[in-house]
């Protein structure tokens, strides 16, 4: 996984609340069985008309200033709805590394970290301010090491993130390898104890 | 309060904690996982790329549901993408020694219908699935939640997941549901009360007399829509109803193991003096049948209601949200819900496709006809339910009324197969999401109970099922 330490970028504003994963990645493209190359389907209905032939000019990611933005400043409850990780893969494929919002869908939030994306939770007031700045074309800097968002005029917004998620993202660690390395013995011990106490859970093996 | 008083969630968490990772994060042991064709391919590919094997194939179960067509099952799947996605799950499962209910299996069906039906879902388990409606299994007193594809791979490889511990929430439902009002109306009303993201970070335990009175099907419907209130986890403590449902099912413990299991399951309820971080109360007796009018499941009203009038809304953000929803739904402000005509009626999905749901709908349509301008579909949740319904003659009732009787799958809940509304068409649907485009680009969805969808199909517009005799 690509590490995330800090990025500075123009930020695309998407202030609408409850942007669900069906909007981020429409279900009919879920028939694809690979996680690469999905950026073309991201926000499909918002980005295109005529079934994909024409771009909608009013969608921020279609506007020249926001094209290639690595940051999104989003509305509340971004990524709510389905568990599809395709929503994150599609954003990643567009080059997005960080989404800032005052709240996220839980599963989307956790999916981000597995793919080198950083979801940043700020307060509603801070998010409103960052949305205005993003819309004005301001470059924002997101620093995971120091857990802060910095605005062009030197403003600093601190944000929370779980220690283990931060560390994994900073180092680009693979979670499965980490679990097996650090907890392999604990898992085996748990299984052995469970086999005795809850034998019916192991009737399969 | 005694220091040791624990909620059901606390007990399930502690009984599965492999390691405390600090900061409220735990490495949880995952007892069971259910796989389907859409969220699993990249997980299997990842597993192979790292040269790993599946740690406990017997703790996994795979079934085909999202992409599968709901008719012409005797022919190869027409859509080449769907066909290869389905074949890929069957191949992956077989290669790793995982039981798979393939397209032709008599046990095939929707993940959240099949798990309980086969007794794979049991109280006291941790159970995950790459699908956000996995809280459905919480109806059995399991700690069940939806996961992403990376987490599926993690469970395949390690049988564990790192999770942040949730806060405890109790949703207490007093009284009894009135005639024509079902578990679906209860879950929709609670989503409306809590809001689309309101319970994020909480594990919800549904309790109270109206919950205990529900059948397992009703409890599954109730837990199913927990995610629409932002929470991944919804649960009901197991009781005699739960045990009676499970006994004798294929994966249920047998003999001495059954007795041991039930003895443990009986300990799985919140202690009387346990404290919850958030307690909400609902009076079941006060509920009317519920209908969504907008593009988020929390935009819900009693069937007797009218669409909101944006002029009366003070907050600009909220007003804009209402305007956007009304525009997408093609509805004027202050419209009586019962004046809204529909083009489609869909009875199905993991929320409402069980035998009991089909019976409730059949009771309404028996001897009636679907309105001429309405396309009406029944899609049973599993192939087993389909056969049971046919044995009861429900298929005949539906067909005679003008419904199409289909094969099991997700179908119009997610519109990934070829079941889809045309842009601008409007449905009454028993599914769980009314998001923009959920039933096809430009499609408009009104969520409601099976009886309400059946009534709307017959009337041709949304109607109060309590007024049908
Ligand atoms: S029926 Fe709908 S919500 Fe349920 S598993 Fe299928 S797609 Fe998901």
């Amino acid at each position: 996984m690509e590490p995330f330490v800090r990025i500075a970028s123009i930020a695309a504003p998407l202030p609408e609340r409850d942007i669900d994963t069906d909007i981020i990645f429409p279900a009919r493209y879920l028939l694809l069985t690979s996680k690469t190359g999905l950026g073309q389907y991201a926000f499909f209905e918002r980005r295109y008309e005529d079934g994909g032939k024409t771009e909608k000019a009013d969608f921020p990611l279609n506007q020249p200033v926001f094209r290639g933005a690595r940051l999104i400043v989003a509305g509340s409850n971004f990524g709510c709805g389905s568990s599809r990780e395709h929503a994150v893969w599609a954003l990643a494929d567009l080059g997005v590394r960080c989404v800032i919002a005052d709240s996220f869908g839980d599963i989307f939030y956790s999916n981000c970290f597995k793919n080198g994306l950083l979801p940043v939770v700020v307060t509603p007031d801070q998010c409103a301010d960052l949305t205005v700045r993003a819309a004005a074309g301001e470059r924002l800097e997101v620093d995971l090491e120091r857990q802060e968002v910095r605005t062009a005029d030197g403003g600093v917004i601190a944000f929370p993130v779980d220690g283990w998620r931060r560390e994994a993202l900073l180092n680009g660690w693979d979670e499965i390898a980490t679990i097996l390395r650090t907890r392999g013995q604990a898992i085996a011990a748990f299984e052995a104890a469970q086999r005795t106490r809850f034998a019916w859970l192991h009737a399969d093996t | 309060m005694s220091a040791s008083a624990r909620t059901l969630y606390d007990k399930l968490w502690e009984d599965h904690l492999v390691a405390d990772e600090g900061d409220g994060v735990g490495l949880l042991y995952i007892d069971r996982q259910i796989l389907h064709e859409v969220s699993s391919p990249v997980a299997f590919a990842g597993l192979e790329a790292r040269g790993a094997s599946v740690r406990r194939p017997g703790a996994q179960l795979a079934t085909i549901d999202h992409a599968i067509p709901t008719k012409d099952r005797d022919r190869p799947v027409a859509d080449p993408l769907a066909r290869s996605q389905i074949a890929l799950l069957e191949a992956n499962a077989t290669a790793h020694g995982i039981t798979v209910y393939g397209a032709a299996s008599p046990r095939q069906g929707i993940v959240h219908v099949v798990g309980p039906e086969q007794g794979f879902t049991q109280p006291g388990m941790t159970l995950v699935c790459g699908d956000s409606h996995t809280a459905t299994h919480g109806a059995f007193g399991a700690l069940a939640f939806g996961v992403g594809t990376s987490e599926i791979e993690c469970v395949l490889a390690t049988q564990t997941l790192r999770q942040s511990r949730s806060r405890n929430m109790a949703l207490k439902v007093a009284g009894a549901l009135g005639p024509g009002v079902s578990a679906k109306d209860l879950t929709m009303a609670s989503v409306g009360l809590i809001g689309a993201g309101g319970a994020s970070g909480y594990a919800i335990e549904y309790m109270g007399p109206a919950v205990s009175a529900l059948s397992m099907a009703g409890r599954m419907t109730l837990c199913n829509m927990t995610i629409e209130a932002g929470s991944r986890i919804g649960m009901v403590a197991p009781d005699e109803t739960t045990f009676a449902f499970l006994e004798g099912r294929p994966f249920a413990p047998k003999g001495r193991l059954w007795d041991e299991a039930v003895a443990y399951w009986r300990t799985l309820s919140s202690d009387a003096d346990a404290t919850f971080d958030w307690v909400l109360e609902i009076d079941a007796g006060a509920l009317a049948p519920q209908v969504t009018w907008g593009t988020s499941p929390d935009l819900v009203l009693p069937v007797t209601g009218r669409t909101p009038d944006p002029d009366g809304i003070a907050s600009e953000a909220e007003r804009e949200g209402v305007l956007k929803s009304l525009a997408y739904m093609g509805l004027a402000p202050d419209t009586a819900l019962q004046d809204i005509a529909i083009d489609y009626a869909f009875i199905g999905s993991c929320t409402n496709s069980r035998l009991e749901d089909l019976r409730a709908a059949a009771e309404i349509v028996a001897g009636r006809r679907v309105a001429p301008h309405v396309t009406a579909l029944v899609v049973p949740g599993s192939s087993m339910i389909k056969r049971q319904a046919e044995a009861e003659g429900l298929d005949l009732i539906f067909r005679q009324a003008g419904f199409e009787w289909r094969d099991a799958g997700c179908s119009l809940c997610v519109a990934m197969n070829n079941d889809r509304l045309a842009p601008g068409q409007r449905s009454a649907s028993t599914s769980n999401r009314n998001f923009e485009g959920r039933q096809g680009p430009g499609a408009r969805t009104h969520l409601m109970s099976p009886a309400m969808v059946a009534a709307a199909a017959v009337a041709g517009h949304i109607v109060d099922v309590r007024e049908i005799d």
Side-chain angles (χ1 to χ4, degrees):
Chain A
M1 190 175 71
E2 197 184 338
F4 185 115
V5 181
R6 71 186 64 80
I7 58 160
S9 168
I10 295 293
L14 294 177
E16 193 185 321
R17 59 169 302 146
D18 300 326
I19 298 258
D20 55 66
T21 53
D22 278 76
I23 294 177
I24 303 173
F25 195 85
R28 59 190 186 284
Y29 303 114
L30 292 174
L31 290 172
L32 301 166
T33 53
S34 157
K35 65 173 175 180
T36 52
L38 301 184
Q40 55 187 308
Y41 309 111
F43 301 108
F44 196 87
E45 255 64 64
R46 299 294 167 95
R47 257 164 95 199
Y48 302 108
E49 48 202 351
D50 312 330
K53 289 200 272 302
T54 318
E55 283 191 351
K56 293 184 182 174
D58 62 345
F59 188 69
L61 288 169
N62 288 338
Q63 294 162 6
V65 38
F66 300 122
R67 225 179 261 275
R70 316 201 71 200
L71 263 164
I72 289 176
V73 182
S76 303
N77 206 20
F78 186 81
C80 65
S82 111
S83 61
R84 64 188 69 158
E85 204 158 315
H86 307 68
V88 177
W89 299 332
L91 291 178
D93 192 51
L94 283 182
V96 173
R97 293 298 310 278
C98 172
V99 184
I100 302 174
D102 63 29
S103 59
F104 289 91
D106 279 358
I107 306 178
F108 176 86
Y109 183 85
S110 110
N111 283 343
C112 281
F113 287 96
K114 323 276 181 192
N115 295 278
L117 263 84
L118 174 65
V120 169
V121 178
V122 295
T123 68
D125 286 347
Q126 290 166 341
C127 199
D129 174 57
L130 291 173
T131 303
V132 172
R133 291 172 185 274
E138 183 174 324
R139 253 173 109 76
L140 300 174
E141 191 171 6
V142 177
D143 185 335
L144 176 58
E145 203 159 33
R146 298 173 63 168
Q147 291 183 232
E148 53 190 43
V149 180
R150 292 189 285 272
T151 57
D153 57 4
V156 172
I157 297 170
F159 63 85
V161 57
D162 283 338
W164 63 281
R165 286 181 158 139
R166 175 176 172 274
E167 208 177 353
L169 203 47
L170 282 174
N171 295 291
W173 281 339
D174 174 81
E175 187 167 3
I176 294 175
T178 308
I179 290 175
L180 290 175
R181 192 183 69 243
T182 61
R183 301 296 184 195
Q185 287 182 350
I187 297 171
F190 180 95
E191 277 176 342
Q194 196 190 46
R195 211 178 277 277
T196 311
R197 189 173 161 213
F198 303 121
W200 65 91
L201 290 175
H202 291 268
D204 59 284
T205 44
Chain B
M1 189 196 82
S2 73
S4 59
R6 297 185 300 161
T7 63
L8 170 58
Y9 174 73
D10 294 335
K11 293 180 185 183
L12 295 175
W13 174 276
E14 285 161 18
D15 275 346
H16 290 90
L17 194 61
V18 173
D20 189 336
E21 308 277 14
D23 285 343
V25 175
L27 184 68
L28 281 194
Y29 194 77
I30 304 300
D31 295 317
R32 296 290 183 268
Q33 175 162 255
I34 309 182
L35 302 156
H36 63 79
E37 70 274 29
V38 176
S39 55
S40 64
V42 170
F44 280 109
L47 199 69
E48 269 145 39
R50 65 176 73 239
S53 54
V54 175
R55 187 179 180 95
R56 279 183 66 191
Q60 324 280 333
L61 177 67
T63 184
I64 308 282
D65 55 6
H66 284 63
I68 195 167
T70 54
K71 55 180 177 184
D72 305 327
R73 280 282 176 84
D74 46 348
R75 279 182 249 158
V77 175
D79 180 337
L81 284 178
R83 190 167 64 233
S84 61
Q85 190 172 61
I86 291 167
L88 187 55
L89 177 65
E90 294 174 351
N92 279 333
T94 307
H96 291 277
I98 296 169
T99 301
V100 55
Y101 302 150
S105 166
R107 298 193 194 188
Q108 170 274 339
I110 304 173
V111 276
H112 310 311
V113 174
V114 161
E117 185 172 75
Q118 297 300 325
F120 188 74
T121 305
Q122 296 165 22
M125 284 179 163
T126 42
L127 183 151
V128 298
C129 174
D131 185 280
S132 59
H133 292 95
T134 305
T136 309
H137 308 262
F140 290 79
L143 176 51
F145 51 92
V147 296
T149 297
S150 299
E151 291 172 311
I152 296 174
E153 184 185 341
C154 190
V155 173
L156 289 172
T158 74
Q159 212 64 41
T160 65
L161 281 178
R162 275 174 169 166
Q163 292 292 304
S164 296
R165 191 163 181 165
S166 299
R167 282 175 287 180
N168 282 291
M169 172 170 177
L171 200 144
K172 298 183 174 170
V173 193
L177 295 167
V181 185
S182 68
K184 180 61 168 293
D185 302 298
L186 175 55
T187 192
M188 288 175 67
S190 67
V191 169
L193 195 66
I194 297 168
S200 168
Y202 287 88
I204 304 180
E205 183 179 347
Y206 300 96
M207 53 173 76
V211 175
S212 307
L214 291 174
S215 65
M216 289 316 297
R219 294 178 192 185
M220 286 188 256
T221 300
L222 176 60
C223 291
N224 177 273
M225 287 186 70
T226 304
I227 188 73
E228 314 310 342
S231 163
R232 295 166 82 174
I233 300 164
M235 293 167 300
V236 176
D239 60 12
E240 297 307 321
T241 305
T242 321
F243 312 147
F245 178 98
L246 279 174
E247 191 163 15
R249 296 201 179 242
F251 286 95
K254 308 274 178 320
R256 183 180 57 82
L257 289 180
W258 170 261
D259 299 334
E260 282 177 24
V262 173
Y264 169 63
W265 295 346
R266 286 190 200 284
T267 69
L268 296 176
S269 58
S270 290
D271 297 332
D273 50 351
T275 50
F276 288 85
D277 303 286
W278 186 6
V279 178
L280 258 184
E281 298 186 30
I282 294 185
D283 176 8
L287 290 181
Q290 306 283 308
V291 176
T292 62
W293 61 268
T295 55
S296 174
D298 60 337
L299 302 177
V300 63
L301 287 167
V303 62
T304 50
R306 308 177 73 87
T307 58
D309 188 346
D311 287 347
I313 299 173
S315 134
E316 191 184 323
E318 205 182 315
R319 189 166 57 243
E320 272 176 23
V322 166
L323 280 169
K324 187 189 68 111
S325 263
L326 287 174
Y328 180 87
M329 294 297 289
L331 294 171
D334 199 30
T335 304
L337 295 180
Q338 300 194 52
D339 288 343
I340 300 173
I342 60 158
D343 308 297
Y344 252 86
F346 171 58
I347 297 173
S349 90
C350 59
T351 320
N352 282 127
S353 61
R354 298 180 183 82
L355 196 55
E356 182 176 309
D357 301 312
L358 305 190
R359 285 180 187 147
E363 200 178 308
I364 303 293
V365 304
R368 296 192 166 92
R369 287 287 308 169
V370 170
H373 66 278
V374 173
T375 306
L377 239 65
V378 183
V379 183
S382 71
S383 296
M384 266 185 69
I385 291 173
K386 183 176 189 233
R387 287 195 304 280
Q388 288 164 348
E390 286 169 353
E392 287 184 17
L394 299 184
D395 59 323
L396 259 183
I397 296 177
F398 284 117
R399 282 180 208 272
Q400 280 168 355
F403 275 85
E404 295 178 38
W405 178 250
R406 296 288 188 88
D407 286 305
C410 296
S411 179
L412 264 182
C413 173
V414 67
M416 262 192 71
N417 65 358
N418 39 6
D419 300 332
R420 194 164 296 169
L421 270 63
Q425 280 191 321
R426 184 183 302 281
S427 79
S429 176
T430 64
S431 50
N432 44 42
R433 288 197 170 134
N434 52 350
F435 294 161
E436 284 179 28
R438 178 79 180 181
Q439 297 188 302
R444 296 160 171 162
T445 306
H446 295 274
L447 304 176
M448 55 194 91
S449 73
M452 283 284 288
V453 170
V458 169
H461 58 86
I462 297 174
V463 67
D464 188 342
V465 68
R466 295 171 302 180
E467 284 165 17
I468 292 184
D469 37 44

